Amino acid sequence: MRQQAWQQFTQQGLPTLRDEQWKYTPLRMVAALLKEEENNVGGILNEARTKQSNIELQFEANSYVKQVDFDNVAIFNHTFNLAEHPLAVLNTALMQSGVAITIPDNTVIAEPIVITCIANDASAEQTQQLRHIIKIGVNSKAQVIFKYESATEKRYFVNIVQEIHAGENSHLEHVIIQEQHDDALHIEGVHIKQAANSIVKSYALSKGAKLARFDIQAHFAAAGSSCEMIGLYQAKGKQHVDFHLNAEHKQPHCRTKQFYRGIVDDKAKAVFNARVVIHPQADKSVSEQTNNNLLLSNTAEVDTKPELEVYHDDVKAAHGATVGQLDKDALFYLTARGIQKEKAEEMLRTAFLSAVIDEIDSVMVQALFRTALGMMEDKNGR
Amino acid sequence: MSNNAEIKEIASQEYQHGFVTDIESESLPPGLSEDTVRAISAKKNEPEFLLNWRLKAYRHWLTMKEPKWPHVNYPPIDFQAISYFSAPKSIDDMPKSLDEVDPELLRTYEKLGIPLREQEMLAGVVAVDAVFDSVSVATTFKSKLKEAGVIFCSFSEAVQECPELIEQYLGSVVPYADNYYAALNSAVYSDGSFVYIPKGVRCPMELSTYFRINAANTGQFERTLVIAEEGSHVSYLEGCTAPMRDENQLHAAVVELIALKDAQIKYSTVQNWYPGDKDGKGGIYNFVTKRGDCRGDNSKISWTQVETGSAITWKYPSCILRGNNSVGEFYSVALTNNMQQADTGTKMIHIGKNTSSTIISKGISAGRGQNSYRGLVKITPSAENAKNFTQCDSLLIGDKCGAHTFPYIEVANKTAQLGHEAATSKISEDQLFYCMQRGLDMENAISMIVNGFCKEVFKELPMEFAVEAQKLLEVSLEGCVG
Amino acid sequence: MFEIKNLHATVDGKEVLKGISLDIKAGEVHAIMGPNGSGKSTLGNVIAGRDGYEVTQGEVLLHGQNLLDLEAHERALIGVFLAMQYPVEIPGVNNMSFLKAALNAKRKMQGEPEVDAFDFLNTVKSKVKQVNMKEDLLYRAVNEGFSGGEKKRNEVLQMLVLEPTLAILDETDSGLDIDALQTVAEGVNSLRSADRSFIVITHYQRLLDYIVPDKVHVLADGKIVKSGDKTLAMELEKEGYGWVEA
């Protein structure tokens, strides 16, 4: 499997700006770090199976949460189409570590499962490839939180693939909090396959890394499922953040909600591409896409593209996108009441992001997001 | 007729030598090469610079690939099978009266309320000029326009009469290397229209009426150039609500608009080329490049289009908002029924300060039609205080059609304010029942709701065309239910 | 003139009308009262031919013609008018042109020429006054952004213009203050004539103070459980629906 994937990867290479899915996100820096692997392929492919990733995975191991067993090749690449994801091909060839979360049927896990992934100096020596596999059994419920952090100043590249199987009637809250140092390169694909009547809520926050690219995809394998994708991004300095969301409605009575907001400052760039496809047989589909951006500097850039492909008339679908700046009238109002300009701006930025945080069900996740964003007060001013 | 084959043979022989001088046939045999390009240019007695331009375009075209990104499907086009220059059809082939015209076509004309004489012209009935007073009408118009200093003529005439304007402006908005079909058009365009409005002049009439009478036979590689000098105004309408008889399957037109300081151009299109039959056989491929350049400060370009025809439509009338305070608008209704496919939208490129743009797009899909909105709003770093509002709505009629939205929004200036709204829905059963309970049958109810859906766009059309456009939608939607 | 014989209807397989019979003579006004969910609105919708209801048994006859064989618009054209409980908004469709299209559809069926635009405007304007509606609503999209009361007045306006044979008022009184209620009632009363019948569906008796019915029927659980004259309505007002629901 690894050989085959590596061959495939060397043939097609990294995606370029000519590739519609990568139109706004160049991978020059990733390519530079990959050079070494390419020069030392044989060694690395052999090593990959035995040598763990230099990303430290911290979690409480128990009967539900374990390291992924990479010898069991049958468990990989089931929730997405490998041909569409060149970085997942690379990951398939070189994947080293990851967590396997398996929740049996009819099980409710009350405590959140937290996985902290910490990069260290050694992470810069070669590319880091993580593969996480999550299976939620029938009627089961769980909350899984991934935190990405850095304990190094060096540039490294981490390429992650998450495969999520949500069983019938299951309920998963899936959280990503990305707060790595400003020189990290982070690419992550989250591929969700949902059985009938399952509910998946994906909450993502990206504020670290030089380059952060997320592909979050929901595939409804049966009727009655719903997927919420809610997230925030903050980019400043020379950061580049890119979210690609995708939901394919191939079954009746499924619902998608995509709601993202971002703040982009300095020379940073944010890319947002949400796509919902409603296929002919997907009766009673409901989809809603919203993307709002605050652009705070003239050297920053936002490229947003909320796409909708509808092949069926029995749908309700809407999307909206805005790009703007802080409301001048509101700013004046606050300063006229004696609030310092910087403080007033911060209040408005907080208010802008809070609208997204308020959509999150879990109070705990709300608090995590607020802390990560440095918001001192919650929405009630406490 | 019997010597037609002979003529063709002679023509093709001469073609092999690189010259086509056969006056009788006035046509080039199918095929595309540098010789074809030279032959077209020679026939039109074009100045050297134009020939060179065509050749550069042709050479560049050879290096390009047909675009694959539009959301449409069609079999590959054989560019060697197309005849790139043909004079009007032989008189022998043309119908002698309306009795010889396809009754289906006549039925449609009647529904649209098109006057008999115009029907004859549209259906290509022979020697219409003899019975129709188009010449005198044209003369009246021409003198009125001439008085105002407006130049409005065929592109070929303009090449002879004001080559300096052509040399200055041709390709300045859509360069020959812009895209595959623009390059092809630049190499082989046959004719088209030319409009020049001098400084400070408000064009005394809609350039529509005249156009409708005179320029029905526009050819398949049409080239239009509209220049509005400082402070001038012009409203131009192309196309026709009536389905036109046409033998060419591929249409690749290029339209360039230039608005200088304080100038305004309003360009309206009603496109109703043959859409093909119910199974998608036949039908026109309409691959068009339309772009306006708001070159001067305070200039404004407004595109309005009603697209109901063609098997495949692929067009993005765009505005480059270069001048400060310039304004770009795009209002569009695109309808696809049966097997039609449309991939249409606009690009608004904000460069100047305080520029603003509005996009209102209404897509209607019925039958097995596929309708895509594809738009780009780009705010460059220099575009201080740019504003854009975009609304693109889709209406679905029937469960086998598709409606798609691909809006690209690229912003690199923090003072920009952009809003994009879109909704996709079907005609609600409640609305239908309400109309039917008041006595309207299903088709009337649908057409009433559809016209309501499109209202914001129709009100941008010149009055008489708004009425015709409504009728056109009704006719185009016929048989979409039941 | 209008007759319902043993009408049964289901929605999503569930029976909501369980054998209704009614006989309304020309010129009569019948009130249908009943608690929520008793099938009142369903009855109106079934008569008018709304999709989503399956008639499993029975007949609905207007001048001897079975309405159930006809499409919704055909029923409208022979004189069935349903003033809806929740009038639908139709964005972009001008109220005036909607009214004109409906009237012309009727005239066409009757073999009459299209209405003269000038005459039509005058007629409509006088009727707008009659229902005390703001004239600018005529030039707005059908019901779009209308208040609840404006929507109801608009329904009555359409009724006045279309002059139906059988008018069904489905909770036309809901959401109306007392002034509006009186205007609406006056509009209806002005149409009362020997060759026109009304079905007034309502939850409350107060509308019947202004539109005095010839007969009152109480509908409960898809059946007419009691019929009487206008005093029955007053009884209901006093005692509530408890006794029919029990």
Side-chain angles (χ1 to χ4, degrees):
Chain A
M1 177 180 70
R2 288 177 186 274
Q3 290 287 359
Q4 215 181 350
W6 181 255
Q7 239 172 27
Q8 195 184 334
F9 180 75
T10 45
Q11 269 167 24
Q12 67 188 33
L14 286 170
T16 67
L17 300 186
R18 285 176 175 279
D19 186 324
E20 181 67 25
Q21 295 304 311
W22 295 85
K23 185 176 157 76
Y24 298 109
T25 300
L27 292 177
R28 285 185 307 270
M29 289 177 290
V30 170
L33 293 185
L34 262 175
K35 274 280 180 297
E36 229 159 284
E37 259 87 344
E38 278 162 7
N39 294 334
N40 181 21
V41 170
I44 283 167
L45 278 182
N46 283 333
E47 263 177 38
R49 284 187 53 214
T50 50
K51 197 182 159 195
Q52 291 246 323
S53 159
N54 297 114
I55 304 273
E56 190 191 336
L57 302 179
Q58 294 182 347
F59 58 91
E60 215 173 289
N62 55 35
S63 62
Y64 307 126
V65 190
K66 297 191 171 77
Q67 294 270 2
V68 170
D69 171 12
F70 286 95
D71 286 329
N72 186 4
V73 294
I75 61 174
F76 301 110
N77 299 342
H78 292 298
T79 59
F80 61 101
N81 179 0
L82 196 59
E84 291 169 7
H85 299 276
L87 271 298
V89 174
L90 177 67
N91 184 279
T92 304
L94 301 177
M95 57 193 176
Q96 301 153 312
S97 313
V99 285
I101 300 170
T102 314
I103 311 295
D105 294 353
N106 306 309
T107 310
V108 173
I109 310 288
E111 289 293 304
I113 298 167
V114 183
I115 320 288
T116 310
C117 310
I118 305 170
N120 52 34
D121 283 351
S123 305
E125 286 165 15
Q126 62 179 69
T127 66
Q128 304 300 319
Q129 312 281 342
L130 303 181
R131 172 76 61 126
H132 305 307
I133 300 212
I134 302 172
K135 283 189 176 167
I136 311 293
V138 175
N139 304 324
S140 295
K141 182 173 177 176
Q143 186 182 54
V144 184
I145 299 172
F146 287 89
K147 290 175 149 180
Y148 296 101
E149 295 168 2
S150 312
T152 175
E153 302 278 288
K154 292 184 178 165
R155 173 177 295 181
Y156 59 90
F157 167 49
V158 56
N159 179 30
I160 306 149
V161 173
Q162 295 208 32
E163 293 194 61
I164 299 173
H165 305 258
E168 238 173 86
N169 284 317
S170 66
H171 187 149
L172 170 68
E173 266 183 45
H174 181 268
V175 184
I176 293 175
I177 298 175
Q178 188 277 110
E179 306 182 79
Q180 294 163 97
H181 79 93
D182 285 355
D183 210 18
L185 310 177
H186 178 109
I187 294 183
E188 180 162 17
V190 178
H191 305 283
I192 309 163
K193 190 170 183 178
Q194 295 189 236
N197 304 313
S198 57
I199 299 171
V200 173
K201 296 182 176 176
S202 151
Y203 303 131
L205 168 74
S206 179
K207 65 172 275 206
K210 176 138 202 130
L211 166 73
R213 157 77 180 229
F214 295 87
D215 284 85
I216 302 178
Q217 304 199 312
H219 170 66
F220 299 118
S225 299
S226 92
C227 185
E228 281 184 14
M229 298 177 184
I230 289 175
L232 293 168
Y233 44 88
Q234 228 181 9
K236 50 193 174 201
K238 288 186 171 179
Q239 286 182 305
H240 181 116
V241 58
D242 176 348
F243 274 94
H244 269 61
L245 312 181
N246 192 6
E248 303 255 352
H249 288 243
K250 289 184 176 165
Q251 299 290 336
H253 296 281
C254 290
R255 184 180 153 265
T256 306
K257 174 175 177 167
Q258 299 170 333
F259 181 27
Y260 268 69
R261 280 190 169 183
I263 298 182
V264 193
D265 204 347
D266 303 332
K267 291 186 169 170
K269 182 165 172 175
V271 179
F272 180 80
N273 187 328
R275 178 165 175 263
V276 173
V277 185
I278 301 186
H279 293 267
Q281 61 278 33
D283 293 348
K284 308 279 175 213
S285 288
V286 178
S287 120
E288 201 185 307
Q289 297 170 299
T290 312
N291 174 232
N292 310 114
N293 297 279
L294 279 185
L295 189 59
L296 300 182
S297 138
N298 265 351
T299 41
E301 185 174 332
V302 171
D303 300 316
T304 172
K305 186 177 167 216
E307 283 178 59
L308 201 49
E309 276 179 58
V310 182
Y311 298 90
H312 191 43
D313 73 333
D314 197 4
V315 299
K316 255 193 223 161
H319 65 192
T322 62
V323 181
Q325 51 193 321
L326 292 175
D327 182 345
K328 285 201 183 98
D329 294 338
L331 205 55
F332 174 72
Y333 186 84
L334 291 175
T335 47
R337 293 290 172 272
I339 298 167
Q340 260 188 329
K341 189 164 171 264
E342 288 72 28
K343 174 71 183 161
E345 284 174 356
E346 190 203 310
M347 286 170 76
L348 290 177
R349 281 199 299 271
T350 303
F352 176 76
L353 297 178
S354 287
V356 175
I357 296 177
D358 292 347
E359 293 283 315
I360 296 173
D361 280 353
S362 154
V363 179
M364 199 264 298
V365 177
Q366 287 191 359
L368 282 176
F369 274 30
R370 280 180 206 281
T371 314
L373 292 167
M375 293 184 189
M376 301 309 285
E377 297 162 345
D378 72 10
K379 64 174 172 179
N380 298 320
R382 281 182 295 240
Chain B
M1 289 276 276
S2 60
N3 60 0
N4 247 5
E6 213 177 310
I7 291 171
K8 262 191 191 152
E9 204 187 337
I10 294 167
S12 70
Q13 277 172 7
E14 281 172 338
Y15 171 66
Q16 282 168 358
H17 299 288
F19 296 98
V20 177
T21 45
D22 179 19
I23 295 169
E24 276 212 74
S25 91
E26 281 284 325
S27 291
L28 289 179
L32 181 54
S33 68
E34 272 202 28
D35 290 341
T36 324
V37 175
R38 284 176 196 281
I40 293 170
S41 190
K43 263 179 181 301
K44 299 190 151 287
N45 193 22
E46 287 178 350
E48 184 82 21
F49 81 87
L50 258 184
L51 172 63
N52 288 338
W53 193 73
R54 282 181 186 268
L55 287 172
K56 270 193 277 182
Y58 175 71
R59 286 168 198 151
H60 190 82
W61 179 74
L62 289 176
T63 70
M64 300 173 93
K65 282 199 184 113
E66 218 178 320
K68 290 285 173 241
W69 49 264
H71 200 78
V72 296
N73 278 308
Y74 57 92
I77 296 170
D78 181 359
F79 292 95
Q80 294 304 331
I82 294 169
S83 172
Y84 288 86
F85 189 88
S86 56
K89 281 174 68 90
S90 147
I91 284 179
D92 295 338
D93 290 346
M94 288 160 78
K96 306 285 181 296
S97 76
L98 281 178
D99 299 341
E100 291 178 32
V101 174
D102 179 3
E104 186 66 18
L105 196 63
L106 292 181
R107 206 175 65 88
T108 314
Y109 287 163
E110 240 154 68
K111 282 198 175 140
L112 290 168
I114 292 172
L116 198 66
R117 283 189 172 173
E118 234 175 284
Q119 286 189 26
E120 287 180 331
M121 189 200 65
L122 291 165
V125 171
V126 71
V128 134
D129 282 326
V131 293
F132 191 49
D133 55 355
S134 72
V135 178
S136 61
V137 172
T139 317
T140 322
F141 285 166
K142 273 219 154 144
S143 69
K144 209 167 162 193
L145 289 173
K146 201 172 175 185
E147 228 168 82
V150 172
I151 305 174
F152 180 36
C153 59
S154 75
F155 200 88
S156 314
E157 273 177 74
V159 167
Q160 302 306 324
E161 286 176 20
C162 39
E164 66 294 343
L165 286 174
I166 302 279
E167 188 165 15
Q168 186 183 351
Y169 289 106
L170 181 70
S172 72
V173 187
V174 181
Y176 63 79
D178 190 77
N179 68 68
Y180 190 78
Y181 290 105
L184 179 64
N185 175 289
S186 302
V188 301
Y189 68 85
S190 37
D191 209 334
S193 308
F194 177 83
V195 178
Y196 176 82
I197 316 287
K199 192 171 166 178
V201 169
R202 193 175 273 270
C203 186
M205 66 185 78
E206 296 260 348
L207 290 181
S208 55
T209 333
Y210 173 75
F211 190 89
R212 252 157 52 106
I213 295 167
N214 279 271
N217 198 0
T218 47
Q220 73 183 124
F221 297 102
E222 193 185 345
R223 188 99 201 176
T224 303
L225 181 57
V226 180
I227 304 157
E229 284 278 8
E230 203 178 311
S232 66
H233 285 232
V234 61
S235 169
Y236 183 95
L237 192 133
E238 67 162 356
C240 191
T241 50
M244 274 192 254
R245 214 179 58 141
D246 197 293
E247 310 295 327
N248 302 312
Q249 186 164 38
L250 174 65
H251 279 248
V254 172
V255 176
E256 296 179 272
L257 311 183
I258 295 128
L260 298 174
K261 189 164 177 277
D262 299 319
Q264 296 194 6
I265 302 175
K266 183 177 174 69
Y267 195 103
S268 314
T269 305
V270 174
Q271 184 266 113
N272 190 23
W273 301 106
Y274 181 55
D277 66 11
K278 279 203 159 52
D279 300 315
K281 263 210 185 128
I284 304 290
Y285 297 170
N286 189 24
F287 301 152
V288 185
T289 306
K290 290 184 167 181
R291 196 174 302 152
D293 190 353
C294 285
R295 215 164 272 185
D297 291 353
N298 313 314
S299 56
K300 177 177 173 182
I301 289 179
S302 177
W303 298 98
T304 307
Q305 60 173 26
V306 177
E307 303 276 330
T308 60
S310 298
I312 299 174
T313 300
W314 182 98
K315 69 181 264 200
Y316 315 92
S318 305
C319 296
I320 302 169
L321 302 171
R322 211 184 295 273
N324 294 333
N325 313 315
S326 58
V327 176
E329 293 176 340
F330 174 74
Y331 299 97
S332 167
V333 166
L335 179 143
T336 53
N337 196 0
N338 297 322
M339 294 294 279
Q340 282 177 277
Q341 307 173 57
D343 192 306
T344 181
T346 183
K347 291 183 193 171
M348 294 289 174
I349 317 288
H350 292 252
I351 299 169
K353 294 187 170 64
N354 305 316
T355 47
S356 69
S357 59
T358 305
I359 300 170
I360 309 280
S361 162
K362 304 280 182 174
I364 302 153
S365 311
R368 281 177 288 167
Q370 296 294 331
N371 206 328
S372 302
Y373 167 82
R374 186 183 303 276
L376 168 68
V377 178
K378 189 181 176 84
I379 313 289
T380 61
S382 60
E384 288 287 316
N385 296 317
K387 285 193 177 60
N388 163 268
F389 175 71
T390 300
Q391 186 187 343
C392 51
D393 295 331
S394 307
L395 193 65
L396 295 148
I397 305 171
D399 61 0
K400 290 191 177 58
C401 51
H404 320 297
T405 339
F406 307 100
Y408 295 69
I409 301 166
E410 303 177 5
V411 189
N413 185 301
K414 68 166 181 172
T415 56
Q417 292 288 350
L418 282 94
H420 171 101
E421 287 172 16
T424 301
S425 56
K426 62 172 172 176
I427 292 182
S428 90
E429 277 163 24
D430 285 348
Q431 289 175 337
L432 272 183
F433 174 66
Y434 193 78
C435 294
M436 290 175 74
Q437 210 302 303
R438 299 299 181 253
L440 303 174
D441 64 25
M442 182 82 106
E443 271 185 2
N444 270 324
I446 288 178
S447 98
M448 185 161 245
I449 293 168
V450 167
N451 274 316
F453 174 76
C454 301
K455 197 167 191 180
E456 287 153 288
V457 174
F458 285 163
K459 74 174 170 32
E460 296 297 324
L461 282 173
M463 187 63 179
E464 82 253 40
F465 281 96
V467 178
E468 284 186 26
Q470 283 193 24
K471 279 193 196 153
L472 180 58
L473 277 196
E474 268 166 46
V475 173
S476 306
L477 274 172
E478 246 175 37
C480 73
V481 283
Chain C
M1 184 201 88
F2 179 70
E3 209 177 344
I4 300 177
K5 290 181 181 168
N6 191 29
L7 183 66
H8 290 255
T10 60
V11 176
D12 293 331
K14 192 175 161 252
E15 189 162 56
V16 282
L17 297 183
K18 303 175 177 172
I20 292 200
S21 297
L22 264 183
D23 186 4
I24 304 180
K25 305 252 176 322
E28 283 184 351
V29 175
H30 286 219
I32 310 255
M33 302 185 69
N36 291 328
S38 58
K40 302 190 302 283
S41 286
T42 302
L43 181 62
N45 285 328
V46 168
I47 296 171
R50 193 181 200 125
D51 272 352
Y53 300 92
E54 201 190 338
V55 174
T56 49
Q57 210 181 319
E59 281 180 319
V60 179
L61 303 167
L62 182 64
H63 290 302
Q65 186 174 10
N66 192 354
L67 293 183
L68 300 177
D69 300 335
L70 303 177
E71 296 282 333
H73 73 279
E74 294 167 329
R75 301 183 199 195
L77 291 178
I78 62 168
V80 177
F81 182 93
L82 174 66
M84 294 186 200
Q85 184 179 3
Y86 303 109
V88 180
E89 301 190 0
I90 311 178
V93 175
N94 183 289
N95 207 9
M96 191 77 169
S97 29
F98 176 69
L99 209 49
K100 197 153 131 192
L103 183 64
N104 279 333
K106 189 171 178 177
R107 291 174 68 101
K108 191 174 165 197
M109 203 257 324
Q110 292 167 342
E112 294 169 28
E114 293 207 346
V115 63
D116 175 84
F118 188 73
D119 292 349
F120 180 68
L121 185 66
N122 282 335
T123 320
V124 172
K125 277 189 173 175
S126 76
K127 305 210 165 181
V128 161
K129 279 205 189 76
Q130 199 183 335
V131 295
N132 202 8
M133 189 167 121
K134 280 183 249 151
E135 205 174 295
D136 67 313
L137 295 182
L138 278 178
Y139 306 102
R140 301 233 310 251
V142 178
N143 293 325
E144 200 185 37
F146 287 24
S147 73
E150 285 167 345
K151 282 183 184 170
K152 295 298 170 75
R153 285 175 212 258
N154 199 29
E155 293 292 286
V156 176
L157 171 72
Q158 291 176 18
M159 185 176 77
L160 292 175
V161 172
L162 297 174
E163 301 181 327
T165 317
L166 173 73
I168 306 160
L169 307 177
D170 186 4
E171 306 224 0
T172 302
D173 52 332
S174 63
L176 292 185
D177 63 40
I178 197 71
D179 288 343
L181 187 74
Q182 281 182 26
T183 333
V184 164
E186 278 162 24
V188 173
N189 288 331
S190 75
L191 266 190
R192 286 180 78 156
S193 75
D195 54 1
R196 185 170 291 133
S197 308
F198 290 84
I199 297 175
V200 181
I201 296 170
T202 180
H203 189 76
Y204 304 104
Q205 180 261 343
R206 61 171 190 160
L207 178 65
L208 305 180
D209 289 344
Y210 302 101
I211 305 173
V212 181
D214 298 296
K215 279 200 178 133
V216 176
H217 309 276
V218 180
L219 200 61
D221 193 27
K223 281 178 288 208
I224 292 179
V225 292
K226 195 163 186 181
S227 297
D229 62 11
K230 61 183 178 188
T231 53
L232 178 59
M234 288 174 217
E235 237 171 84
L236 279 172
E237 185 75 8
K238 233 181 279 163
E239 295 170 23
Y241 291 108
W243 61 273
V244 291
E245 282 170 325

